Amino acid sequence: KAGVTQTPRYLIKTRGQQVTLSCSPISGHRSVSWYQQTPGQGLQFLFEYFSETQRNKGNFPGRFSGRQFSNSRSEMNVSTLELGDSALYLCASSGTQVTYEQYFGPGTRLTVT
Amino acid sequence: TQLLEQSPQFLSIQEGENLTVYCNSSSVFSSLQWYRQEPGEGPVLLVTVVTGGEVKKLKRLTFQFGDARKDSSLHITAAQPGDTGLYLCAGTNTGNQFYFGTGTSLTVIP
């Protein structure tokens, strides 16, 4: 099986712009979660989608949004970018609803200047 | 407040030494996982433990889930430079909420 893929791998944006990141989960996985990882804050949960519905949400402002399509692919959008949004954004898919084992993509490195 | 606290936060050891990383919580978890992450990449799942007192071995790595399912440990025997990375525990609590630990950064010096 192919792993989780994320595009793009690297992105440079200017403060105030918006950005969309894409994630394709492992085939058959219906749960997709997004995380933000920074050196100071570690791995922070953004949200989880299951069957096109947001099932869980972390403590991030409304500028961060996401969606999931019928083929389980997911996108994450950040509007009005701030310098503090610079981070590695990780997507993970899960095929279990009990242990929530997560399979991660390589991440998108976003730099906001 | 982090639900899953890992210790130590940083660890630098010589090749061949043994080490233990701890993952502690005041909450009960129905399952717990360990991941390893290398710089610039996503975390990779190492193991899942679900039963209190459970011990799993993966080559030189030994994982244990506490009897009360509130804590876990990862023991590495004869560490090698390839073990270098960020080790993360993660768990699902009895309310089906999923949490990651604070992380332990391990450096193994050749």
Side-chain angles (χ1 to χ4, degrees), chain A residues 14 18-19 34 36 38-39 42 45 55 59 61 71 81 93 103 106:
Chain A
T14 304
Q18 66 101 27
V19 67
W34 288 90
Q36 181 195 66
T38 58
F45 172 72
R55 186 160 66 174
N59 191 26
N71 62 358
L81 284 165
S93 74
Y103 294 87

Side-chain angles (χ1 to χ4, degrees), chain B residues 18-37:
Chain B
N18 301 332
L19 66 115
T20 302
V21 177
Y22 299 94
C23 174
N24 295 301
S25 175
S26 57
S27 300
V28 175
F29 284 83
S30 55
S31 69
L32 197 137
Q33 294 131 35
W34 284 92
Y35 296 80
R36 179 171 66 216
Q37 182 180 22

Side-chain angles (χ1 to χ4, degrees), chain B:
Chain B
T1 303
Q2 280 282 0
L3 205 60
L4 283 167
E5 295 282 346
Q6 288 185 235
S7 62
Q9 188 177 357
F10 299 96
L11 193 52
S12 181
I13 61 170
Q14 295 289 330
E15 181 176 0
E17 292 184 349
N18 301 332
L19 66 115
T20 302
V21 177
Y22 299 94
C23 174
N24 295 301
S25 175
S26 57
S27 300
V28 175
F29 284 83
S30 55
S31 69
L32 197 137
Q33 294 131 35
W34 284 92
Y35 296 80
R36 179 171 66 216
Q37 182 180 22
E38 298 188 16
E41 298 294 328
V44 175
L45 178 66
L46 297 174
V47 76
T48 298
V49 286
V50 297
T51 305
E54 182 176 2
V55 176
K56 279 192 175 179
K57 292 193 175 186
L58 186 66
K59 296 183 181 177
R60 295 175 293 100
L61 279 61
T62 301
F63 305 86
Q64 185 163 9
F65 202 11
D67 290 341
R69 291 185 288 135
K70 291 184 178 181
D71 55 84
S72 180
S73 64
L74 157 61
H75 182 80
I76 301 179
T77 304
Q80 298 177 1
D83 296 327
T84 293
L86 177 68
Y87 288 82
L88 294 155
C89 65
T92 308
N93 67 9
T94 50
N96 271 347
Q97 297 291 313
F98 185 79
Y99 298 93
F100 268 96
T102 49
T104 294
S105 180
L106 170 66
T107 301
V108 181
I109 303 165

